Amino acid sequence: MQTSNQTILLAEEDGALRRHLADNLTADSYRILEADDRAKAIALLSVNQPDLIILDVNGQTLAVIDAVRSGEGLAGRVDPDTPMIVLSAQTDRIHRIRVLERGGDDIIAKPFAYAELRARIAALLRRAGSRRNPRMLAVGELRIDLNAREVHVADRPVELSAKEYELLVTLAGDPRRVFTRAELLRAVWGYPSAARTRTLDSHAYRLRRKLSGEGAGSYVSNVWGIGYKLDPGTQR
């Protein structure tokens, strides 16, 4: 699977639709952050800088748009000009105008074809590309430069393989979350469902050792029976 540096926050209240879109967007090489309500979306935005946001969160879509455009509660981490696509079952003109006036870049009526959404995403990302700012993920002493694909722990450079880097970026995208094995295998290796493979475990083991370095901390924690999480609290 071709890799991509582009991250999309998918905040969609409908679980089945969210999973469908996440699977297809991942297959199209985007890195996906998932939320099912406003609080989760804001929490993800407080520690991530997505390239694009897709929204339909239980009547609170406009509140998320306002938070991004104003920077309110996000500590300035998110570019206020981040492109936003709103998905909506409402078809009345007033609602569409309100979304656009509040800062939405596009609105797509449900139901829609995935191919249409993909085309609109590509168009917005092309327009936004010329003003893309350098992006950084930070967890404890860990720093990930997403543009340069460079990783440092306490100013020490860490050399990672392509898949080790993708695994780390996925975990760092939401460091408070435990990612299941199925989620990680799908996001990093493109597997459509959980597979009987030791690939994830071997990569996680090597990533843990490389990040630990000179006793800096393991960061990558195995949550027994579930999967993995990024945990700066495991530092020694």
Side-chain angles (χ1 to χ4, degrees), residues 131-161:
R131 60 173 173 77
R132 183 64 55 208
N133 295 324
R135 298 178 295 129
M136 186 80 67
L137 289 177
V139 182
E141 294 184 319
L142 172 67
R143 297 291 184 275
I144 307 171
D145 186 328
L146 297 174
N147 284 355
R149 295 179 67 89
E150 293 178 349
V151 176
H152 289 78
V153 175
D155 296 323
R156 173 179 62 86
V158 181
E159 295 294 329
L160 301 177
S161 70

PDB file of all heavy atoms in Angstrom, residues 131-161:
ATOM      1  N   ARG A 131      -0.171  26.179   1.195  1.00  0.00           N
ATOM      2  CA  ARG A 131       0.004  26.903   2.464  1.00  0.00           C
ATOM      3  C   ARG A 131       0.231  25.961   3.638  1.00  0.00           C
ATOM      4  O   ARG A 131       0.102  26.356   4.794  1.00  0.00           O
ATOM      5  CB  ARG A 131      -1.233  27.774   2.731  1.00  0.00           C
ATOM      6  CG  ARG A 131      -2.515  26.976   2.824  1.00  0.00           C
ATOM      7  CD  ARG A 131      -3.689  27.841   3.252  1.00  0.00           C
ATOM      8  NE  ARG A 131      -4.945  27.130   3.184  1.00  0.00           N
ATOM      9  CZ  ARG A 131      -5.328  26.241   4.083  1.00  0.00           C
ATOM     10  NH1 ARG A 131      -4.545  25.952   5.101  1.00  0.00           N
ATOM     11  NH2 ARG A 131      -6.497  25.629   3.953  1.00  0.00           N
ATOM     12  N   ARG A 132       0.565  24.696   3.337  1.00  0.00           N
ATOM     13  CA  ARG A 132       0.728  23.726   4.420  1.00  0.00           C
ATOM     14  C   ARG A 132       1.885  24.103   5.332  1.00  0.00           C
ATOM     15  O   ARG A 132       2.994  24.370   4.872  1.00  0.00           O
ATOM     16  CB  ARG A 132       0.976  22.341   3.833  1.00  0.00           C
ATOM     17  CG  ARG A 132       1.087  21.236   4.866  1.00  0.00           C
ATOM     18  CD  ARG A 132      -0.199  21.045   5.635  1.00  0.00           C
ATOM     19  NE  ARG A 132      -1.309  20.817   4.759  1.00  0.00           N
ATOM     20  CZ  ARG A 132      -2.553  21.141   5.061  1.00  0.00           C
ATOM     21  NH1 ARG A 132      -2.841  21.710   6.207  1.00  0.00           N
ATOM     22  NH2 ARG A 132      -3.536  20.915   4.200  1.00  0.00           N
ATOM     23  N   ASN A 133       1.636  24.165   6.611  1.00  0.00           N
ATOM     24  CA  ASN A 133       2.661  24.478   7.595  1.00  0.00           C
ATOM     25  C   ASN A 133       3.365  23.208   8.053  1.00  0.00           C
ATOM     26  O   ASN A 133       2.779  22.134   8.022  1.00  0.00           O
ATOM     27  CB  ASN A 133       2.035  25.169   8.824  1.00  0.00           C
ATOM     28  CG  ASN A 133       1.453  26.521   8.477  1.00  0.00           C
ATOM     29  OD1 ASN A 133       1.991  27.241   7.650  1.00  0.00           O
ATOM     30  ND2 ASN A 133       0.328  26.858   9.105  1.00  0.00           N
ATOM     31  N   PRO A 134       4.614  23.329   8.514  1.00  0.00           N
ATOM     32  CA  PRO A 134       5.279  22.152   9.087  1.00  0.00           C
ATOM     33  C   PRO A 134       4.446  21.587  10.231  1.00  0.00           C
ATOM     34  O   PRO A 134       3.853  22.329  11.010  1.00  0.00           O
ATOM     35  CB  PRO A 134       6.614  22.722   9.593  1.00  0.00           C
ATOM     36  CG  PRO A 134       6.831  23.959   8.784  1.00  0.00           C
ATOM     37  CD  PRO A 134       5.453  24.516   8.531  1.00  0.00           C
ATOM     38  N   ARG A 135       4.398  20.270  10.330  1.00  0.00           N
ATOM     39  CA  ARG A 135       3.558  19.637  11.333  1.00  0.00           C
ATOM     40  C   ARG A 135       4.410  18.766  12.244  1.00  0.00           C
ATOM     41  O   ARG A 135       5.351  18.122  11.806  1.00  0.00           O
ATOM     42  CB  ARG A 135       2.466  18.801  10.660  1.00  0.00           C
ATOM     43  CG  ARG A 135       1.522  19.632   9.811  1.00  0.00           C
ATOM     44  CD  ARG A 135       0.499  18.771   9.125  1.00  0.00           C
ATOM     45  NE  ARG A 135       1.145  17.875   8.177  1.00  0.00           N
ATOM     46  CZ  ARG A 135       0.947  16.576   8.121  1.00  0.00           C
ATOM     47  NH1 ARG A 135       0.142  15.986   8.986  1.00  0.00           N
ATOM     48  NH2 ARG A 135       1.552  15.837   7.217  1.00  0.00           N
ATOM     49  N   MET A 136       4.042  18.754  13.506  1.00  0.00           N
ATOM     50  CA  MET A 136       4.809  18.038  14.509  1.00  0.00           C
ATOM     51  C   MET A 136       3.861  17.342  15.475  1.00  0.00           C
ATOM     52  O   MET A 136       2.835  17.908  15.868  1.00  0.00           O
ATOM     53  CB  MET A 136       5.691  19.024  15.272  1.00  0.00           C
ATOM     54  CG  MET A 136       6.645  18.395  16.263  1.00  0.00           C
ATOM     55  SD  MET A 136       8.124  17.722  15.470  1.00  0.00           S
ATOM     56  CE  MET A 136       8.900  19.232  14.892  1.00  0.00           C
ATOM     57  N   LEU A 137       4.199  16.102  15.840  1.00  0.00           N
ATOM     58  CA  LEU A 137       3.521  15.414  16.923  1.00  0.00           C
ATOM     59  C   LEU A 137       4.491  15.349  18.096  1.00  0.00           C
ATOM     60  O   LEU A 137       5.675  15.057  17.909  1.00  0.00           O
ATOM     61  CB  LEU A 137       3.112  14.000  16.506  1.00  0.00           C
ATOM     62  CG  LEU A 137       1.978  13.866  15.490  1.00  0.00           C
ATOM     63  CD1 LEU A 137       1.759  12.390  15.155  1.00  0.00           C
ATOM     64  CD2 LEU A 137       0.693  14.483  16.010  1.00  0.00           C
ATOM     65  N   ALA A 138       3.996  15.610  19.294  1.00  0.00           N
ATOM     66  CA  ALA A 138       4.843  15.590  20.487  1.00  0.00           C
ATOM     67  C   ALA A 138       4.144  14.811  21.585  1.00  0.00           C
ATOM     68  O   ALA A 138       2.994  15.079  21.921  1.00  0.00           O
ATOM     69  CB  ALA A 138       5.131  17.018  20.955  1.00  0.00           C
ATOM     70  N   VAL A 139       4.860  13.828  22.145  1.00  0.00           N
ATOM     71  CA  VAL A 139       4.366  13.041  23.270  1.00  0.00           C
ATOM     72  C   VAL A 139       5.523  12.888  24.246  1.00  0.00           C
ATOM     73  O   VAL A 139       6.503  12.186  23.958  1.00  0.00           O
ATOM     74  CB  VAL A 139       3.863  11.647  22.835  1.00  0.00           C
ATOM     75  CG1 VAL A 139       3.319  10.885  24.040  1.00  0.00           C
ATOM     76  CG2 VAL A 139       2.800  11.761  21.755  1.00  0.00           C
ATOM     77  N   GLY A 140       5.433  13.557  25.391  1.00  0.00           N
ATOM     78  CA  GLY A 140       6.559  13.524  26.320  1.00  0.00           C
ATOM     79  C   GLY A 140       7.803  14.087  25.642  1.00  0.00           C
ATOM     80  O   GLY A 140       7.773  15.179  25.063  1.00  0.00           O
ATOM     81  N   GLU A 141       8.903  13.358  25.701  1.00  0.00           N
ATOM     82  CA  GLU A 141      10.150  13.795  25.065  1.00  0.00           C
ATOM     83  C   GLU A 141      10.235  13.347  23.608  1.00  0.00           C
ATOM     84  O   GLU A 141      11.236  13.604  22.937  1.00  0.00           O
ATOM     85  CB  GLU A 141      11.354  13.256  25.843  1.00  0.00           C
ATOM     86  CG  GLU A 141      11.489  13.837  27.246  1.00  0.00           C
ATOM     87  CD  GLU A 141      12.747  13.352  27.944  1.00  0.00           C
ATOM     88  OE1 GLU A 141      13.068  12.154  27.804  1.00  0.00           O
ATOM     89  OE2 GLU A 141      13.413  14.169  28.590  1.00  0.00           O
ATOM     90  N   LEU A 142       9.197  12.682  23.135  1.00  0.00           N
ATOM     91  CA  LEU A 142       9.158  12.201  21.759  1.00  0.00           C
ATOM     92  C   LEU A 142       8.655  13.297  20.836  1.00  0.00           C
ATOM     93  O   LEU A 142       7.634  13.928  21.100  1.00  0.00           O
ATOM     94  CB  LEU A 142       8.240  10.983  21.670  1.00  0.00           C
ATOM     95  CG  LEU A 142       7.916  10.442  20.281  1.00  0.00           C
ATOM     96  CD1 LEU A 142       9.160   9.844  19.630  1.00  0.00           C
ATOM     97  CD2 LEU A 142       6.810   9.398  20.363  1.00  0.00           C
ATOM     98  N   ARG A 143       9.375  13.527  19.732  1.00  0.00           N
ATOM     99  CA  ARG A 143       8.985  14.505  18.731  1.00  0.00           C
ATOM    100  C   ARG A 143       9.012  13.832  17.356  1.00  0.00           C
ATOM    101  O   ARG A 143       9.999  13.196  16.991  1.00  0.00           O
ATOM    102  CB  ARG A 143       9.951  15.697  18.705  1.00  0.00           C
ATOM    103  CG  ARG A 143       9.979  16.503  19.996  1.00  0.00           C
ATOM    104  CD  ARG A 143       8.676  17.257  20.208  1.00  0.00           C
ATOM    105  NE  ARG A 143       8.724  18.107  21.394  1.00  0.00           N
ATOM    106  CZ  ARG A 143       8.455  17.699  22.609  1.00  0.00           C
ATOM    107  NH1 ARG A 143       8.115  16.431  22.816  1.00  0.00           N
ATOM    108  NH2 ARG A 143       8.508  18.519  23.630  1.00  0.00           N
ATOM    109  N   ILE A 144       7.899  13.996  16.592  1.00  0.00           N
ATOM    110  CA  ILE A 144       7.811  13.422  15.254  1.00  0.00           C
ATOM    111  C   ILE A 144       7.548  14.556  14.279  1.00  0.00           C
ATOM    112  O   ILE A 144       6.498  15.206  14.343  1.00  0.00           O
ATOM    113  CB  ILE A 144       6.679  12.383  15.150  1.00  0.00           C
ATOM    114  CG1 ILE A 144       6.808  11.319  16.238  1.00  0.00           C
ATOM    115  CG2 ILE A 144       6.679  11.732  13.768  1.00  0.00           C
ATOM    116  CD1 ILE A 144       5.603  10.386  16.317  1.00  0.00           C
ATOM    117  N   ASP A 145       8.488  14.797  13.388  1.00  0.00           N
ATOM    118  CA  ASP A 145       8.331  15.795  12.334  1.00  0.00           C
ATOM    119  C   ASP A 145       7.685  15.097  11.146  1.00  0.00           C
ATOM    120  O   ASP A 145       8.335  14.318  10.439  1.00  0.00           O
ATOM    121  CB  ASP A 145       9.692  16.385  11.956  1.00  0.00           C
ATOM    122  CG  ASP A 145       9.579  17.531  10.952  1.00  0.00           C
ATOM    123  OD1 ASP A 145       8.657  17.500  10.114  1.00  0.00           O
ATOM    124  OD2 ASP A 145      10.416  18.445  11.005  1.00  0.00           O
ATOM    125  N   LEU A 146       6.390  15.368  10.913  1.00  0.00           N
ATOM    126  CA  LEU A 146       5.648  14.645   9.886  1.00  0.00           C
ATOM    127  C   LEU A 146       6.057  15.038   8.478  1.00  0.00           C
ATOM    128  O   LEU A 146       5.940  14.233   7.548  1.00  0.00           O
ATOM    129  CB  LEU A 146       4.147  14.874  10.075  1.00  0.00           C
ATOM    130  CG  LEU A 146       3.568  14.346  11.379  1.00  0.00           C
ATOM    131  CD1 LEU A 146       2.112  14.766  11.522  1.00  0.00           C
ATOM    132  CD2 LEU A 146       3.688  12.836  11.463  1.00  0.00           C
ATOM    133  N   ASN A 147       6.525  16.270   8.289  1.00  0.00           N
ATOM    134  CA  ASN A 147       6.964  16.677   6.966  1.00  0.00           C
ATOM    135  C   ASN A 147       8.308  16.051   6.613  1.00  0.00           C
ATOM    136  O   ASN A 147       8.504  15.555   5.497  1.00  0.00           O
ATOM    137  CB  ASN A 147       7.058  18.198   6.880  1.00  0.00           C
ATOM    138  CG  ASN A 147       5.696  18.852   6.765  1.00  0.00           C
ATOM    139  OD1 ASN A 147       4.679  18.171   6.662  1.00  0.00           O
ATOM    140  ND2 ASN A 147       5.657  20.175   6.782  1.00  0.00           N
ATOM    141  N   ALA A 148       9.241  16.072   7.551  1.00  0.00           N
ATOM    142  CA  ALA A 148      10.579  15.530   7.300  1.00  0.00           C
ATOM    143  C   ALA A 148      10.669  14.037   7.582  1.00  0.00           C
ATOM    144  O   ALA A 148      11.679  13.411   7.253  1.00  0.00           O
ATOM    145  CB  ALA A 148      11.611  16.270   8.163  1.00  0.00           C
ATOM    146  N   ARG A 149       9.614  13.469   8.193  1.00  0.00           N
ATOM    147  CA  ARG A 149       9.612  12.053   8.596  1.00  0.00           C
ATOM    148  C   ARG A 149      10.808  11.752   9.504  1.00  0.00           C
ATOM    149  O   ARG A 149      11.495  10.741   9.338  1.00  0.00           O
ATOM    150  CB  ARG A 149       9.614  11.128   7.370  1.00  0.00           C
ATOM    151  CG  ARG A 149       8.363  11.226   6.527  1.00  0.00           C
ATOM    152  CD  ARG A 149       8.403  10.315   5.327  1.00  0.00           C
ATOM    153  NE  ARG A 149       8.371   8.906   5.697  1.00  0.00           N
ATOM    154  CZ  ARG A 149       7.263   8.197   5.866  1.00  0.00           C
ATOM    155  NH1 ARG A 149       6.086   8.776   5.711  1.00  0.00           N
ATOM    156  NH2 ARG A 149       7.317   6.927   6.182  1.00  0.00           N
ATOM    157  N   GLU A 150      11.018  12.640  10.463  1.00  0.00           N
ATOM    158  CA  GLU A 150      12.127  12.481  11.409  1.00  0.00           C
ATOM    159  C   GLU A 150      11.576  12.300  12.823  1.00  0.00           C
ATOM    160  O   GLU A 150      10.575  12.919  13.195  1.00  0.00           O
ATOM    161  CB  GLU A 150      13.053  13.693  11.380  1.00  0.00           C
ATOM    162  CG  GLU A 150      13.804  13.848  10.069  1.00  0.00           C
ATOM    163  CD  GLU A 150      14.681  15.079  10.046  1.00  0.00           C
ATOM    164  OE1 GLU A 150      14.556  15.929  10.960  1.00  0.00           O
ATOM    165  OE2 GLU A 150      15.486  15.202   9.100  1.00  0.00           O
ATOM    166  N   VAL A 151      12.263  11.460  13.601  1.00  0.00           N
ATOM    167  CA  VAL A 151      11.841  11.153  14.968  1.00  0.00           C
ATOM    168  C   VAL A 151      12.994  11.445  15.916  1.00  0.00           C
ATOM    169  O   VAL A 151      14.147  11.058  15.645  1.00  0.00           O
ATOM    170  CB  VAL A 151      11.414   9.677  15.101  1.00  0.00           C
ATOM    171  CG1 VAL A 151      11.056   9.341  16.554  1.00  0.00           C
ATOM    172  CG2 VAL A 151      10.250   9.369  14.172  1.00  0.00           C
ATOM    173  N   HIS A 152      12.687  12.134  17.018  1.00  0.00           N
ATOM    174  CA  HIS A 152      13.681  12.412  18.057  1.00  0.00           C
ATOM    175  C   HIS A 152      13.085  12.079  19.419  1.00  0.00           C
ATOM    176  O   HIS A 152      11.910  12.303  19.667  1.00  0.00           O
ATOM    177  CB  HIS A 152      14.108  13.877  18.051  1.00  0.00           C
ATOM    178  CG  HIS A 152      14.954  14.271  16.873  1.00  0.00           C
ATOM    179  ND1 HIS A 152      14.417  14.507  15.612  1.00  0.00           N
ATOM    180  CD2 HIS A 152      16.297  14.456  16.767  1.00  0.00           C
ATOM    181  CE1 HIS A 152      15.395  14.829  14.786  1.00  0.00           C
ATOM    182  NE2 HIS A 152      16.537  14.812  15.453  1.00  0.00           N
ATOM    183  N   VAL A 153      13.915  11.555  20.309  1.00  0.00           N
ATOM    184  CA  VAL A 153      13.560  11.358  21.708  1.00  0.00           C
ATOM    185  C   VAL A 153      14.587  12.104  22.537  1.00  0.00           C
ATOM    186  O   VAL A 153      15.779  11.783  22.493  1.00  0.00           O
ATOM    187  CB  VAL A 153      13.543   9.867  22.099  1.00  0.00           C
ATOM    188  CG1 VAL A 153      13.291   9.728  23.604  1.00  0.00           C
ATOM    189  CG2 VAL A 153      12.489   9.110  21.316  1.00  0.00           C
ATOM    190  N   ALA A 154      14.125  13.141  23.242  1.00  0.00           N
ATOM    191  CA  ALA A 154      15.022  13.969  24.043  1.00  0.00           C
ATOM    192  C   ALA A 154      16.194  14.452  23.194  1.00  0.00           C
ATOM    193  O   ALA A 154      17.366  14.351  23.596  1.00  0.00           O
ATOM    194  CB  ALA A 154      15.515  13.211  25.271  1.00  0.00           C
ATOM    195  N   ASP A 155      15.898  14.936  21.995  1.00  0.00           N
ATOM    196  CA  ASP A 155      16.872  15.471  21.036  1.00  0.00           C
ATOM    197  C   ASP A 155      17.782  14.412  20.432  1.00  0.00           C
ATOM    198  O   ASP A 155      18.716  14.738  19.702  1.00  0.00           O
ATOM    199  CB  ASP A 155      17.735  16.560  21.690  1.00  0.00           C
ATOM    200  CG  ASP A 155      16.901  17.761  22.111  1.00  0.00           C
ATOM    201  OD1 ASP A 155      15.951  18.110  21.387  1.00  0.00           O
ATOM    202  OD2 ASP A 155      17.207  18.350  23.161  1.00  0.00           O
ATOM    203  N   ARG A 156      17.534  13.142  20.732  1.00  0.00           N
ATOM    204  CA  ARG A 156      18.311  12.055  20.116  1.00  0.00           C
ATOM    205  C   ARG A 156      17.576  11.554  18.883  1.00  0.00           C
ATOM    206  O   ARG A 156      16.419  11.145  18.969  1.00  0.00           O
ATOM    207  CB  ARG A 156      18.483  10.908  21.126  1.00  0.00           C
ATOM    208  CG  ARG A 156      19.131   9.655  20.542  1.00  0.00           C
ATOM    209  CD  ARG A 156      19.283   8.582  21.607  1.00  0.00           C
ATOM    210  NE  ARG A 156      17.996   8.148  22.154  1.00  0.00           N
ATOM    211  CZ  ARG A 156      17.234   7.195  21.607  1.00  0.00           C
ATOM    212  NH1 ARG A 156      17.605   6.602  20.480  1.00  0.00           N
ATOM    213  NH2 ARG A 156      16.094   6.851  22.175  1.00  0.00           N
ATOM    214  N   PRO A 157      18.207  11.585  17.704  1.00  0.00           N
ATOM    215  CA  PRO A 157      17.541  11.080  16.500  1.00  0.00           C
ATOM    216  C   PRO A 157      17.343   9.573  16.570  1.00  0.00           C
ATOM    217  O   PRO A 157      18.195   8.845  17.089  1.00  0.00           O
ATOM    218  CB  PRO A 157      18.509  11.469  15.368  1.00  0.00           C
ATOM    219  CG  PRO A 157      19.838  11.602  16.033  1.00  0.00           C
ATOM    220  CD  PRO A 157      19.565  12.087  17.423  1.00  0.00           C
ATOM    221  N   VAL A 158      16.203   9.113  16.081  1.00  0.00           N
ATOM    222  CA  VAL A 158      15.870   7.687  16.083  1.00  0.00           C
ATOM    223  C   VAL A 158      15.606   7.257  14.644  1.00  0.00           C
ATOM    224  O   VAL A 158      14.721   7.808  13.989  1.00  0.00           O
ATOM    225  CB  VAL A 158      14.633   7.398  16.954  1.00  0.00           C
ATOM    226  CG1 VAL A 158      14.316   5.911  16.959  1.00  0.00           C
ATOM    227  CG2 VAL A 158      14.839   7.915  18.370  1.00  0.00           C
ATOM    228  N   GLU A 159      16.380   6.290  14.163  1.00  0.00           N
ATOM    229  CA  GLU A 159      16.209   5.786  12.807  1.00  0.00           C
ATOM    230  C   GLU A 159      15.191   4.638  12.818  1.00  0.00           C
ATOM    231  O   GLU A 159      15.366   3.649  13.546  1.00  0.00           O
ATOM    232  CB  GLU A 159      17.547   5.283  12.246  1.00  0.00           C
ATOM    233  CG  GLU A 159      18.590   6.388  12.076  1.00  0.00           C
ATOM    234  CD  GLU A 159      18.194   7.395  11.008  1.00  0.00           C
ATOM    235  OE1 GLU A 159      17.500   6.995  10.041  1.00  0.00           O
ATOM    236  OE2 GLU A 159      18.564   8.575  11.146  1.00  0.00           O
ATOM    237  N   LEU A 160      14.133   4.794  12.023  1.00  0.00           N
ATOM    238  CA  LEU A 160      13.081   3.790  11.977  1.00  0.00           C
ATOM    239  C   LEU A 160      12.864   3.317  10.545  1.00  0.00           C
ATOM    240  O   LEU A 160      13.074   4.072   9.586  1.00  0.00           O
ATOM    241  CB  LEU A 160      11.759   4.368  12.501  1.00  0.00           C
ATOM    242  CG  LEU A 160      11.737   4.910  13.934  1.00  0.00           C
ATOM    243  CD1 LEU A 160      10.372   5.512  14.236  1.00  0.00           C
ATOM    244  CD2 LEU A 160      12.070   3.815  14.931  1.00  0.00           C
ATOM    245  N   SER A 161      12.410   2.064  10.424  1.00  0.00           N
ATOM    246  CA  SER A 161      11.998   1.574   9.111  1.00  0.00           C
ATOM    247  C   SER A 161      10.677   2.243   8.739  1.00  0.00           C
ATOM    248  O   SER A 161      10.017   2.884   9.577  1.00  0.00           O
ATOM    249  CB  SER A 161      11.826   0.058   9.132  1.00  0.00           C
ATOM    250  OG  SER A 161      10.684  -0.300   9.898  1.00  0.00           O
TER     251      SER A 161
END
